[in-house]
Amino acid sequence: MSLRRAKITAVSHYLPERRVTNQELAQTVDTSDEWIFERTGIRERRVIAKGQATSDLAAKAARQVLEKRGIDATEIDLIIVATVTPDMLFPSAACLVQMKIGAKNAWGFDLSGACSGFVYALATGSQFIRTGTHRKVLIIGADVMTSILNYEDRATCVLFGDGAGAVLLEPAEEGESGILDFVLRSDGEGGQFLYMPAGGSLNPASAETVQKNMHSVHQNGKNVFKFAVRGMCEVSQEILERNHFTAQDLKLYIPHQANLRIIRAAMEKLQLDDSRVAINIDKYANTTAATIPICLSEASESKRIIKNDLILMASFGAGFTSGSVLLRWEI
Ligand code: UT7
């Protein structure tokens, strides 16, 4: 069996309209624009409208991808939605997206990889293309983090925002490279440092779990920070080395957007300057599984990346999870 590489043939993103600035947050939480910007690089974030949910953002990004590629939703074979904030525990956000966009011939599932969700999903989806069993796979990273924030915890509520990004994967043509390689890791020992304690089978929802604020993000920021720098650098360096590239060969490095100081530390280690790194955390904060596809979509829209450019995506998140994907842009 000859294996065909997968390539991205379209990308898009969707962000809710409502902007919430640091100043606005500072009116209700004991924080300031100075603290948030200096410690994280965030200026504002987007927040969904009442009644909207993750599958709505995901479906909007997906529809735009189909439009850009000029294909009908019925041509899609598989939908993978990377998210930690599905509309509900079940059915999956993927099934809801399938219904909303009318992808009648697709099956799909959600992938829980937190901030590495999109990288995990891209690697997973590319395997279905590579084996030749699927020809059109939608990969979506979408999160509504504002649905699981405790707005009395200033250490977490200022860090996140809502958004979605999507790509279409198809087989690469003869002579094209597409997705070259990926490195994926998990370290369950890190679970204790970033998690949502209730709402699952361990602590089902009860008046007590609500009262104790257990349905929101709990984080040991200092610990996560330390592991994030190390983890993101490791998966970046490993994939470059084993494919015989250096960071200087990259047109664009797309790191997960959790904290500008984490991104800067990775840039220093990889010896990359701003001209080669995607940064939009100032506008959208941390949108978890959506940060990387949103960066990719913005880079494509602005023609910052063009055909044949070498791109490296790298992520680190709850789990702990980390991962990198190396690819050539083929659009
Ligand atoms: O994408 C998922 C992965 N997540 C991450 O990568 C997050 C990694 N961690 C971080 O980005 C940083 O650790 C944070 C931004 C979360 C926190 O920054 P930090 O420099 O590690 O601050 P800290 O937690 O050590 O807190 C320093 C001080 C504390 O006050 P005291 O104890 O020194 O008096 C906090 O109470 O800053 C205080 N603080 C705040 N002050 C104003 C914490 N949050 C805020 C706030 N506004 N929002």
Side-chain angles (χ1 to χ4, degrees), residues 2-109:
S2 78
L3 298 176
R4 286 279 280 283
R5 283 212 177 106
K7 66 170 177 175
I8 292 173
T9 56
V11 57
S12 198
H13 68 281
Y14 176 77
L15 289 149
E17 275 163 37
R18 195 175 147 222
R19 292 185 152 85
V20 175
T21 62
N22 291 345
Q23 284 93 343
E24 209 177 322
L25 273 182
Q27 287 168 16
T28 49
V29 189
D30 181 16
T31 188
S32 65
D33 179 41
E34 294 73 37
W35 191 95
I36 300 172
F37 185 67
E38 270 171 30
R39 305 309 292 162
T40 70
I42 298 165
R43 286 276 190 215
E44 58 182 46
R45 72 284 294 138
R46 300 296 182 90
V47 177
I48 51 158
K50 212 171 168 45
Q52 266 187 323
T54 296
S55 70
D56 296 308
L57 309 190
K60 279 185 194 286
R63 275 192 211 101
Q64 289 166 191
V65 158
L66 298 178
E67 208 170 289
K68 283 189 177 171
R69 184 70 180 108
I71 61 166
D72 194 79
T74 53
E75 293 183 47
I76 301 298
D77 302 314
L78 164 63
I79 301 170
I80 307 179
V81 179
T83 188
V84 289
T85 51
D87 298 28
M88 52 195 84
L89 272 180
F90 63 89
S92 66
C95 282
L96 298 172
V97 170
Q98 186 248 5
M99 184 233 348
K100 285 179 184 178
I101 67 172
K104 291 195 181 70
N105 300 312
W107 67 288
F109 59 93

Side-chain angles (χ1 to χ4, degrees), residues 92-301:
S92 66
C95 282
L96 298 172
V97 170
Q98 186 248 5
M99 184 233 348
K100 285 179 184 178
I101 67 172
K104 291 195 181 70
N105 300 312
W107 67 288
F109 59 93
D110 290 0
L111 191 155
S112 176
C115 299
S116 301
F118 182 76
V119 164
Y120 275 21
L122 199 56
T124 304
S126 72
Q127 301 311 294
F128 288 93
I129 301 282
R130 217 163 152 70
T131 54
T133 57
H134 294 60
R135 293 193 62 83
K136 287 187 169 54
V137 176
L138 258 181
I139 307 291
I140 306 171
D143 269 302
V144 175
M145 293 303 290
T146 60
S147 66
I148 55 165
L149 292 176
N150 170 8
Y151 282 95
E152 285 171 6
D153 177 13
R154 66 177 182 175
T156 53
C157 75
V158 302
L159 304 174
F160 298 93
D162 305 333
V167 301
L168 182 66
L169 282 180
E170 294 184 74
E173 302 296 331
E174 204 67 38
E176 288 184 331
S177 300
I179 294 178
L180 293 164
D181 198 7
F182 49 80
V183 170
L184 306 172
R185 289 198 186 144
S186 296
D187 172 12
E189 300 286 341
Q192 57 188 308
F193 300 123
L194 179 51
Y195 66 113
M196 189 169 93
S201 53
L202 181 62
N203 296 304
S206 67
E208 192 191 355
T209 61
V210 172
Q211 190 240 326
K212 288 184 172 167
N213 271 318
M214 289 166 72
H215 295 271
S216 57
V217 174
H218 288 234
Q219 175 173 246
N220 178 331
K222 277 231 180 309
N223 250 319
V224 178
F225 190 99
K226 204 170 64 196
F227 283 101
V229 172
R230 195 190 303 161
M232 230 163 54
C233 289
E234 276 177 11
V235 293
S236 303
Q237 284 173 321
E238 182 179 333
I239 202 166
L240 285 170
E241 273 166 30
R242 81 174 184 205
N243 287 278
H244 312 291
F245 289 114
T246 72
Q248 302 316 310
D249 295 313
L250 297 174
K251 180 64 186 296
L252 193 63
Y253 180 57
I254 308 183
H256 169 56
Q257 313 277 308
N259 187 320
L260 188 57
R261 289 185 293 134
I262 296 175
I263 298 173
R264 293 253 175 254
M267 286 168 66
E268 201 179 309
K269 189 108 182 157
L270 295 168
Q271 295 186 303
L272 285 170
D273 62 29
D274 284 46
S275 68
R276 289 169 196 266
V277 183
I279 297 173
N280 63 15
I281 188 169
D282 52 321
K283 296 186 288 184
Y284 313 130
N286 182 350
T287 54
T288 303
T291 66
I292 290 177
I294 293 172
C295 283
L296 186 70
S297 175
E298 288 194 329
S300 169
E301 257 171 25

